[in-house]
Amino acid sequence: MLTSIKNNSFQYESQKLGMMYFRVAAVLFGAQLLMGLIAAIQFVYPDFLYGLFDFSVGRMVHINALVVWMLYAMIGSVYLMLPDETGLEAVGIGLGKLGFWVLTAAVTVVVLVYILVQIGPGDESTIWLINEGREYIEAPRWADIGIVVVVLIFYYNVFFTFIKGQRTGIMTVMVANLLALAGLYLAGMVYTDNISMDQYWWWWVIHLWVEATWEVFVGTLAAYALIKIIGAKREVVEMWLWIEVLMLFGSGILGLGHHYFWIGTPEYWWEIGALFSALEPVPLVAMFVHVLYDWGKEQGTHGDKPAIKNGPAMAWIVTNAFGNFLGAGIWGFFHTLPQVNIYTHGSQFTAAHGHLAFFGAYATILIGMMYYGVQRAYGLERLKASFNSKMAIFLITFGVLGMTVALTIAGYEQVLVERAELGGGWDAFFTAQLLPWMKQAMVWRLVMGVVTFVGFVYLILDLLTIGKKAQN
Ligand code: HEM
Ligand code: HEM
Ligand SMILES: [Fe+2]
């Protein structure tokens, strides 16, 4: 992945820029995992880094790095597919590169401030210079504005290249969806002193990203990747894509109601949230069937040549189909009805779902796209999985599943003891935290976190070497 910076087989600058985004994404993914490990150690040994590095800061960097590396990998994927789908170089490629450097410099400064300054006085200056205090999207206001400018440059590139070039179904969905995805970010920039109102708008970003626009985004990526990797028929994948778009928006938009149960919004959200969010797993099943159907169908149609042109990318895309269905569909459905959510709300159960869903639905396919980028950068007809590729996918997936199981058990204990038995007060919380089930679960989460991290090391090793090895 690194040696491909100078010598690469890309015909288009846009695709090189895509690889630049992938590299930063991989670094931020590593930072995310390290911060997760620190936070997980602090659950088990509360004295760890006491007074030096607070749990709240590690947790904040963990989940903000998560969102940012995924956005980087998403932009990278779009720059990679843009010339393939439109048949053209990105119209404003120079500006696109400038945007990349500005964004990367800003992200570096923001992360350094998070880690070194950590907290501010809690007035306006904190919001502008240190962090905004909105979980997952905590960038300070100056960086918020910078992000908007860079995203406008990105969108300009995508939109005008699309208008000038060939307009495939995949790109049509991509262009429309990106407008919604980028536009929603603005909802997280409105500041109000009223916490209910603040949360009300903040969910527009978080929920309408991960359960509507990001899902449509990975649907388009899967469609593109299946054409490239197993030679799936465009008419078939595009037909699926339109069905998924319809269903995802149909349930995902009003599914927003499942976050409006207890934040001070009117009670009609109980019914709306219950009904529409319960329907959300349906499109996820469709996406699951889509990938497996295309995979199975294309298997036998390539004579004696293997149908899969990129082993590791395909493995990650299939993991995505399972992971999205399990993490978002099943683990999401578990706690989405208000009758259940009143017990599970904000427990470790939420964290179990958060981990499996973000991993299953997004990390997997974005890693798959990085492998596809490597194949293109080295101009390889085929890319076979290496030992490192197998170790990476096995350890990362096993690690995240392990963490999810541990957190689910911890959440179950909280529901039974803290919520059902003791009524959910302050004392109830601490009683539940001190029971052996909780403590053991936190140890297992840490162990499985280390497994995940080892898998990540294999992943980086693989991305750095697999292309060169395959060329020889
Ligand atoms: C890939 C898609 C998804 C991702 C990445 C995701 C991620 C998350 C995360 C990180 C949270 C915790 C937010 C917080 O900090 O408070 C959350 C909460 C929640 N999610 Fe999802 N989710 C996804 C899809 C779904 C689906 C499809 C459903 C329902 C069928 C669902 C149901 C819920 C519910 C009910 C909560 C609130 C939990 C609570 O009360 O604490 N999610 N989700
Ligand atoms: C080395 C592996 C990892 C470790 C040790 C780890 C650990 C942690 C810890 C300790 C927290 C704070 C939980 C709390 O506040 O109670 C957390 C939150 C979170 N992590 Fe991880 N994590 C790891 C990997 C990941 C991965 C791979 C993803 C997704 C791709 C992820 C997504 C999240 C999310 C979404 C939250 C917020 C959950 C919520 O509040 O509901 N983490 N993680
Ligand atoms: Fe949601």
Side-chain angles (χ1 to χ4, degrees):
M1 192 143 120
L2 275 180
T3 37
S4 60
I5 293 181
K6 289 221 174 66
N7 313 313
N8 54 55
S9 310
F10 287 127
Q11 210 185 328
Y12 295 100
E13 289 295 311
S14 167
Q15 299 184 316
K16 285 186 206 167
L17 181 56
M19 288 307 280
M20 285 157 68
Y21 272 101
F22 283 155
R23 286 182 202 110
V24 180
V27 172
L28 286 168
F29 184 19
Q32 182 215 341
L33 295 183
L34 281 176
M35 290 294 153
L37 280 175
I38 293 178
I41 295 173
Q42 287 170 331
F43 260 97
V44 182
Y45 305 103
D47 287 343
F48 182 66
L49 297 182
Y50 181 73
L52 266 180
F53 196 67
D54 202 79
F55 170 81
S56 63
V57 179
R59 181 185 191 282
M60 172 184 78
V61 184
H62 178 59
I63 58 180
N64 280 269
L66 160 78
V67 170
V68 177
W69 86 252
M70 291 191 168
L71 290 173
Y72 260 80
M74 286 159 82
I75 298 180
S77 306
V78 176
Y79 275 126
L80 187 68
M81 71 192 272
L82 190 61
D84 283 350
E85 289 291 305
T86 59
L88 293 177
E89 176 69 274
V91 287
I93 187 68
L95 211 55
K97 285 190 176 164
L98 180 71
F100 166 82
W101 289 111
V102 171
L103 186 63
T104 306
V107 168
T108 313
V109 173
V110 170
V111 172
L112 287 177
V113 169
Y114 283 166
I115 294 178
L116 301 175
V117 183
Q118 300 186 12
I119 45 172
D123 54 25
E124 281 284 314
S125 69
T126 306
I127 296 176
W128 276 95
L129 302 174
I130 300 174
N131 89 47
E132 258 186 350
R134 287 196 183 92
E135 229 195 330
Y136 301 96
I137 41 169
E138 267 141 316
R141 180 80 25 106
W142 72 267
D144 258 359
I145 296 168
I147 289 169
V148 171
V149 174
V150 172
V151 169
L152 281 175
I153 296 178
F154 165 67
Y155 197 71
Y156 159 82
N157 260 324
V158 178
F159 184 77
F160 286 100
T161 314
F162 168 74
I163 292 294
K164 260 177 75 183
Q166 219 168 282
R167 292 177 215 159
T168 61
I170 293 182
M171 263 333 267
T172 308
V173 174
M174 182 59 93
V175 165
N177 184 55
L178 277 177
L179 185 64
L181 199 162
L184 283 168
Y185 188 75
L186 303 176
M189 293 171 68
V190 193
Y191 182 77
T192 104
D193 285 337
N194 179 319
I195 188 89
S196 289
M197 277 165 72
D198 205 72
Q199 290 273 296
Y200 183 92
W201 291 112
W202 171 79
W203 280 116
W204 275 53
V205 193
I206 299 306
H207 172 100
L208 293 178
W209 266 6
V210 302
E211 283 161 70
T213 50
W214 284 29
E215 285 284 6
V216 170
F217 185 92
V218 293
T220 35
L221 279 194
Y224 164 78
L226 289 172
I227 293 177
K228 293 289 177 186
I229 295 171
I230 56 174
K233 284 206 181 58
R234 187 175 281 276
E235 309 86 80
V236 177
V237 289
E238 288 192 344
M239 175 199 73
W240 273 111
L241 186 60
W242 289 113
I243 296 175
E244 285 159 9
V245 169
L246 197 75
M247 290 203 289
L248 283 163
F249 283 138
S251 56
I253 293 177
L254 284 172
L256 182 61
H258 66 187
H259 302 294
Y260 289 168
F261 294 157
W262 331 114
I263 62 166
T265 42
E267 285 177 11
Y268 52 75
W269 283 110
W270 290 353
E271 282 80 28
I272 299 175
L275 177 65
F276 289 94
S277 69
L279 290 174
E280 281 186 58
V282 179
L284 302 177
V285 175
M287 294 175 87
F288 177 73
V289 177
H290 168 177
V291 172
L292 296 191
Y293 170 86
D294 286 342
W295 185 26
K297 190 165 165 293
E298 304 299 334
Q299 273 298 22
T301 58
H302 295 251
D304 43 356
K305 279 199 210 144
I308 299 174
K309 294 211 182 91
N310 187 325
M314 192 59 197
W316 280 107
I317 290 168
V318 172
T319 310
N320 173 256
F322 280 91
N324 201 352
F325 174 60
L326 272 179
I330 304 285
W331 256 257
F333 181 74
F334 273 164
H335 61 163
T336 208
L337 298 177
Q339 293 88 334
V340 177
N341 194 261
I342 196 165
Y343 292 103
T344 56
H345 183 59
S347 65
Q348 291 296 339
F349 196 89
T350 308
H353 159 66
H355 278 86
L356 196 58
F358 260 113
F359 172 74
Y362 304 120
T364 46
I365 194 160
L366 294 171
I367 296 174
M369 291 305 291
M370 291 182 193
Y371 273 108
Y372 181 61
V374 167
Q375 179 186 3
R376 295 291 295 272
Y378 286 89
L380 301 163
E381 182 60 27
R382 266 172 216 292
L383 187 69
K384 267 177 62 183
S386 67
F387 174 74
N388 290 344
S389 331
K390 291 176 192 162
M391 287 302 278
I393 191 169
F394 172 71
L395 290 176
I396 296 179
T397 309
F398 183 70
V400 174
L401 273 173
M403 288 196 290
T404 306
V405 170
L407 294 171
T408 304
I409 293 174
Y412 192 69
E413 187 254 9
Q414 277 183 294
V415 167
L416 287 183
V417 179
E418 175 191 331
R419 307 282 165 87
E421 197 182 325
L422 301 176
W426 180 255
D427 288 340
F429 173 77
F430 286 102
T431 307
Q433 293 294 312
L434 294 172
L435 288 180
W437 278 40
M438 174 63 74
K439 288 187 178 171
Q440 287 171 14
M442 292 301 122
V443 172
W444 278 107
R445 188 256 301 274
L446 177 55
V447 172
M448 288 299 167
V450 174
V451 172
T452 309
F453 191 76
V454 175
F456 170 77
V457 175
Y458 274 106
L459 176 70
I460 294 302
L461 211 69
D462 199 38
L463 286 171
L464 289 176
T465 56
I466 191 171
K468 191 146 190 79
K469 279 191 202 149
Q471 246 175 355
N472 300 325

